[in-house]
Amino acid sequence: MAAPDLRTPDAIARAVDGAADHYRQGRLDDADRICTRVLKAAPDWFDALHLAGLVKLDSGKAAAAQALLARALKLNPGSAPVLANLGRALSALNRDDDAMASLDQALAIAPDSFDAINSRGNVLLKLNRAAEAVAAFERVLALEPRFLGARANLGNALTQLGRFDDALAQYDAILAAHPTHPETLVNRGSALASAGRLEEALAAYDGALAQRADYGKARIGRGATLAALNRHQEALAEYATALAADKSNADIQHNEALSLLTLGDYRRGFQKYEARWQRAGMPRRKSLGKPLWLGEYPLARKTILVHAEQGLGDVIQFARYVPQLARGGAKVVMEVHRELAALLSRVEGVASVVGRGEALPAYDVHCPVGSLPLALHTEVSTIPANVPYLAAIEERIANWSGRIGQLPSPRIALAWSGSADHANDRNRSIALERLAPLIAGQGSFVSIQRELRQGDAAALAGLPNVTHVGDALADFDDTAAVLALADLVISVDTSVVHLAGAMGRPVWVLLPFQPDWRWLLDREDSPWYPTARLYRQPKPGDWESVIARVKDALLKL
């Protein structure tokens, strides 16, 4: 391509028009070359800066796009299109608050810019503000009903809200016009999988792969759906195919890790599990200014900081490794959720425990709790299961004995839901009213549910043999005291299970068909917690048979 003559403003304008034609036709490299020449000749040419920013943005070079668009904005601070595209670039850089500010400025200037409204909806979706995103995408479609991108985004927001039928209606509207559109088929598969319609989800992913055999997102979705069906070997085959085309994709590696761990392949599984830090949208591992330790060398006479990274249950589960570290000569300090600090300060071998946000003691190396099984070369057969490694304190037991200790036996501590923000909450939590057949039997039930959901209070009022204490539990030392006074714990897969197991209390765990990796497959016991008994759904969504089996077991207790 001959270099354009850029000695006059008219020539520069024609060159930028030519670059814009290349851009509209998807020839990004040609557009980029012309913009580069124009900006060399005229560094402050506004249209060239804006177009060059768009080219970089569409090429996946968000940082370069942001720099170019910021330069354009200095020349014309009132340009709504530049502000809107700058918002897109900032969002791609995960600077979502800055992106929202830029998009809001664009909409203050041009309130009906459906591109800006759509981009704002996308940022809201990233920020898990799905209800606001729905409103944004509905406004876009009111302005431009043929904007299929907004319709797809609306479907994604509805999926995030759990409004699966409404989401599927949006995807089906797109497929009515474009029956083989692979992106929409993948979105449809995701909504179906989230709704528990797993076989239909597989069919949607198969349809997408029939159009684009190398479509990584479809391959990952199909693998995750196979995993949800506990067909983990098939899932691993899908992930292997996807990784062959995208070797550095941390999302695929993380999914692969979960299947390997569920199958009990801890050696490979925990190695792959380190990819969790690079997953899309996940916070990066803390930069603590000290070396990360993953078992590469002995820790004799060194101080290691073991720090919380995920949920409360993970910290309780992996606190079992502290005595092993201490026996190896390490001084172990821990940083954990504040509500766990007092409880974990009594773990054998721990030197000190601080709550998150408090000043850290001096240390030589650090390790996230979820990396301890890798660092200490854990296999299923070598899990440290010396329970109890946590215990309630007598003072708290005495505080609770008047309220709990006088209840008729058996006294059964009960938890039916975990955090509503958990990615798998829809599958792992149970509505209290569904447990009524279980609770109607003999015994005294003690509700240790700290967060009541809609309908829970009314259900509790209709269950006279349930004593609710969840709202009086100040911290995990209180919970531990109640568990110590109970004869049995029955819970869905949440932190209560880990606490009961770590205390050596009898605990019955109600598990969804696809369990969390730590519960493995096809067994009623747990190598992590010898006092646990596992009750699994025989098929997705089937809590009724689980509750019936637990009720029968209670009658025999």
Side-chain angles (χ1 to χ4, degrees), residues 13 105 263 536:
Q105 289 180 57
L263 292 170
R536 302 173 183 270

Side-chain angles (χ1 to χ4, degrees), residues 454-473:
Q454 186 175 4
D456 283 349
L460 281 169
L463 297 167
N465 61 330
V466 178
T467 301
H468 177 59
V469 302
D471 53 2
L473 299 172

Side-chain angles (χ1 to χ4, degrees), residues 39-391:
L39 291 172
K40 186 175 181 179
D44 291 334
W45 197 273
F46 172 79
D47 289 338
L49 285 167
H50 186 194
L51 181 58
L54 280 176
V55 170
K56 295 295 186 187
L57 188 57
D58 288 0
S59 301
K61 300 173 182 176
Q66 185 266 331
L68 288 161
L69 293 167
R71 285 170 58 190
L73 194 62
K74 285 184 178 179
L75 296 170
N76 185 358
S79 171
V82 172
L83 284 164
N85 289 319
L86 179 59
R88 288 176 54 208
L90 290 165
S91 178
L93 293 168
N94 293 319
R95 293 172 52 185
D96 293 315
D97 290 338
D98 292 336
M100 287 290 286
S102 187
L103 290 163
D104 286 343
Q105 289 180 57
L107 289 168
I109 297 166
D112 292 335
S113 168
F114 59 83
D115 282 328
I117 301 169
N118 186 64
S119 295
R120 190 175 188 276
N122 287 332
V123 177
L124 289 167
L125 203 53
K126 278 183 67 182
L127 293 171
N128 294 318
R129 293 161 59 180
E132 295 171 78
V134 165
F137 297 133
E138 287 178 339
R139 185 178 170 204
V140 172
L141 291 170
L143 293 166
E144 180 46 79
R146 295 172 297 177
F147 191 174
L148 295 184
R151 193 167 297 283
N153 291 334
L154 175 57
N156 296 341
L158 291 165
T159 297
Q160 194 174 109
L161 288 173
R163 294 169 55 184
F164 303 120
D165 289 341
D166 292 336
L168 290 168
Q170 299 300 324
Y171 301 140
D172 289 345
I174 299 172
L175 292 169
H178 305 278
T180 59
H181 191 254
E183 288 82 3
T184 303
L185 287 166
V186 165
N187 288 337
R188 192 173 192 277
S190 178
L192 289 164
S194 297
R197 295 161 59 179
L198 301 175
E199 296 293 347
E200 293 176 79
L202 285 180
Y205 289 126
D206 287 342
L209 289 166
Q211 303 303 314
R212 284 175 50 190
D214 62 346
Y215 192 2
K217 192 172 180 180
R219 192 72 64 186
I220 297 169
R222 191 174 195 279
T225 304
L226 288 166
L229 289 164
N230 286 335
R231 292 160 58 180
H232 289 279
Q233 293 292 358
E234 294 173 74
L236 287 169
E238 291 290 345
Y239 299 146
T241 300
L243 279 171
D246 189 3
K247 292 181 175 59
S248 63
N249 189 309
D251 292 322
I252 306 173
Q253 294 175 46
H254 182 259
N255 285 0
E256 190 178 29
L258 297 182
S259 282
L260 289 167
L261 292 169
T262 304
L263 292 170
D265 187 345
Y266 280 7
R267 183 182 62 80
R268 289 194 298 159
F270 281 121
Q271 288 173 351
K272 293 277 188 180
Y273 193 53
E274 290 301 297
R276 66 192 183 277
W277 302 106
Q278 281 75 47
R279 291 173 61 203
M282 295 296 289
R284 294 295 182 249
R285 182 163 45 208
K286 284 184 179 182
S287 177
L288 292 169
K290 297 286 185 177
L292 170 69
W293 180 80
L294 293 177
E296 301 92 337
Y297 45 82
L299 289 179
R301 294 183 297 280
K302 292 186 180 295
T303 299
I304 180 171
L305 173 69
V306 173
H307 50 95
E309 52 163 300
Q310 299 183 56
L312 298 160
D314 298 272
V315 180
I316 295 171
Q317 178 183 4
F318 299 131
R320 71 185 63 229
Y321 289 98
V322 169
Q324 187 174 343
L325 291 169
R327 287 193 297 270
K331 179 181 178 182
V332 184
V333 298
M334 299 186 74
E335 181 200 36
V336 301
H337 310 76
R338 293 193 179 195
E339 57 265 49
L340 285 175
L343 177 74
L344 293 181
S345 67
R346 301 190 297 276
V347 173
E348 177 192 347
V350 71
S352 64
V353 178
V354 299
R356 280 179 167 175
E358 297 175 6
L360 294 174
Y363 59 93
D364 302 304
V365 299
H366 73 95
C367 183
V369 291
S371 296
L372 287 173
L374 171 66
L376 294 168
H377 314 293
T378 303
E379 302 280 357
V380 172
S381 60
T382 64
I383 292 170
N386 297 322
V387 299
Y389 58 89
L390 293 177

Side-chain angles (χ1 to χ4, degrees), residues 339 342-343 346 391-404 472-485:
E339 57 265 49
L343 177 74
R346 301 190 297 276
I393 54 176
E394 291 300 325
E395 179 185 356
R396 295 294 184 96
I397 293 174
N399 289 344
W400 282 98
S401 61
R403 189 169 182 183
I404 306 298
L473 299 172
D475 57 19
F476 272 80
D477 267 333
D478 270 345
T479 307
V482 173
L483 299 190
L485 291 163

Side-chain angles (χ1 to χ4, degrees), residues 485-552:
L485 291 163
D487 300 301
L488 173 67
V489 181
I490 299 177
S491 176
V492 297
D493 182 10
T494 186
S495 57
V496 166
V497 168
H498 295 280
L499 179 57
M503 293 174 62
R505 305 300 297 156
V507 54
W508 295 357
V509 191
L510 314 183
L511 293 177
F513 180 74
Q514 181 192 14
D516 190 79
W517 64 264
R518 67 204 79 213
W519 306 118
L520 302 167
L521 295 174
D522 303 322
R523 56 190 296 170
E524 295 182 352
D525 66 329
S526 168
W528 293 95
Y529 300 114
T531 60
R533 182 174 176 182
L534 310 181
Y535 290 84
R536 302 173 183 270
Q537 287 182 348
K539 59 184 179 181
D542 182 6
W543 284 122
E544 282 69 27
S545 64
V546 172
I547 293 166
R549 286 176 13 242
V550 173
K551 182 177 181 179
D552 288 343

